[in-house]
Amino acid sequence: MNNSGQTRSNIRPGLMVDIVLKQDQRSGALTRGVVQQILTNSPNHPHGIKVRLQSGAVGRVKHIVSGE
């Protein structure tokens, strides 16, 4: 599994991740932050699991930066 951002079980609150915001999907610009809440209910998603960061930003996880 090369893109861990597509698997819900790899993501949990407190992880540092890079997400793509809805308005940045065309440019692919990444936003880094700490996961506050997981919004995707399915165990996998081809475009990345949707999360809310502690900053309030909502987007799909592209990379997991670090764990605990």
Side-chain angles (χ1 to χ4, degrees), residues 6-64:
Q6 295 178 344
T7 307
R8 192 178 190 273
S9 60
N10 291 337
I11 299 168
R12 56 193 181 283
L15 284 181
M16 178 78 69
V17 296
D18 287 333
I19 67 168
V20 173
L21 302 175
K22 182 74 171 172
Q23 64 266 29
D24 292 338
Q25 282 176 347
R26 283 174 181 261
S27 67
L30 296 176
T31 302
R32 181 163 291 186
V34 178
V35 176
Q36 178 184 352
Q37 182 182 10
I38 299 172
L39 303 176
T40 300
N41 290 321
S42 61
N44 297 289
H45 193 287
H47 301 297
I49 300 299
K50 188 178 281 187
V51 298
R52 177 177 289 116
L53 302 181
Q54 289 177 350
S55 65
V58 174
R60 295 194 180 276
V61 176
K62 292 299 171 191
H63 305 108
I64 295 174

